């Protein structure tokens, strides 16, 4: 194993690759959730590469910043009041990476009721201008 | 670009990496579909690494050969009579790779009626004993 690479297994979380890359991606995952909760869909879309693809269930593949921003734009008075992503594994492969794991959150609906949800995901990342951006983002549900 | 690497774009399909790796993965994608249609769930499961994870909608992550074979085992008299995977992009990253694209198929139900479906997927691959195996396999639907 080359100097500077780490492989940590704790609480069933496996991170493999250079520490600074892992730290950057974990930081980006955290700020992604903060931006979703803030309803800042422009900032959320900026987490993706300009040619990124997202794979929402029961829709076609959506590609590019405008389509992705539109997907994350809060609608119908709904508000995401909790959003958390827990990677199970994160692996750096040079200037690309992938992670998979679980997400969970709560939406406050326009009528004031709250709906919680959770699911699982796979993301592939690309290193762009010394930062890490999401290139492919696919997920689906787990029953509550 | 190093000798032996190719990057082909045709009909919106992008393959990047050593030609023998790309050819092997494309061949495996084809035989996967043949095995699904044959109902040979043991052969289907052998396309995955022993620690692979699949992400069926509305279920938890399923891990390992036994769970994956069980998922692909035909049940309730249903028979998959068509199965086709069309990668949009396939990228080799050393001994790992990812591809994403579309799948479609037809199930013949126990009552004789047929149901067609399609969707989109992301797969990550690992090179194991000079062959390519699926490590992560996640997908969800596109409405017909």
């Amino acid at each position: 194993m080359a100097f500077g690479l780490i492989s940590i297994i704790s609480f069933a979380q496996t991170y493999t690759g250079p520490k600074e890359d892992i730290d950057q991606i974990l930081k980006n995952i955290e700020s992604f959730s903060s931006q979703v909760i803030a309803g800042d869909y422009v900032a959320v879309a900026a987490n993706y590469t300009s040619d990124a693809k997202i794979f929402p269930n029961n829709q076609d593949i959506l590609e590019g910043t405008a389509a992705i921003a539109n997907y994350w734009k809060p609608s119908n008075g709904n508000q995401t009041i909790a959003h958390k992503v827990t990677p199970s594994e994160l692996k750096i492969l040079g200037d690309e990476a992938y992670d998979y794991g679980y997400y969970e959150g709560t939406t406050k609906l326009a009528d004031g009721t709250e709906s919680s949800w959770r699911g699982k995901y796979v993301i592939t990342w690309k290193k762009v201008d010394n930062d890490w951006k999401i290139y492919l983002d696919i997920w689906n549900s787990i029953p509550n």
Side-chain angles (χ1 to χ4, degrees), chain A:
Chain A
M1 189 73 75
F3 177 76
L5 297 187
I6 57 172
S7 182
I8 296 171
I9 301 178
S10 61
F11 303 109
Q13 292 182 307
T14 309
Y15 306 146
T16 309
K19 186 174 184 310
E20 69 265 27
D21 293 313
I22 291 167
D23 288 348
Q24 182 68 53
I25 288 177
L26 294 176
K27 183 171 159 283
N28 291 0
I29 289 172
E30 292 268 341
S31 56
F32 186 102
S33 287
S34 304
Q35 293 155 356
V36 169
I37 292 168
D40 189 349
Y41 58 95
V42 173
V44 173
N47 288 293
Y48 294 84
T49 66
S50 58
D51 59 349
K53 297 97 171 78
I54 67 173
F55 297 67
N57 197 20
N58 290 322
Q59 295 185 45
D60 209 331
I61 297 172
L62 303 179
E63 178 167 348
T65 305
I68 292 172
N70 187 60
Y71 174 82
W72 287 104
K73 191 172 180 174
S75 60
N76 302 323
N78 297 338
Q79 187 187 359
T80 302
I81 58 172
H83 190 278
K84 188 183 176 192
V85 176
T86 307
S88 297
E89 181 180 349
L90 167 57
K91 187 162 191 179
I92 313 293
L93 302 163
D95 287 341
E96 312 219 23
Y98 64 79
D99 79 303
Y100 80 88
Y102 296 92
Y103 64 87
E104 58 188 281
T106 304
T107 302
K108 188 170 182 177
L109 306 175
D111 66 6
T113 60
E114 294 182 4
S115 167
S116 288
W117 34 264
R118 64 194 189 103
K120 52 205 188 291
Y121 72 92
V122 174
I123 285 177
T124 74
W125 300 80
K126 291 191 182 191
K127 202 171 189 174
V128 180
D129 295 338
N130 222 32
D131 194 3
W132 283 93
K133 302 285 186 181
I134 300 170
Y135 177 55
L136 303 176
D137 185 6
I138 182 167
W139 64 93
N140 61 42
S141 293
I142 300 173
N144 279 317

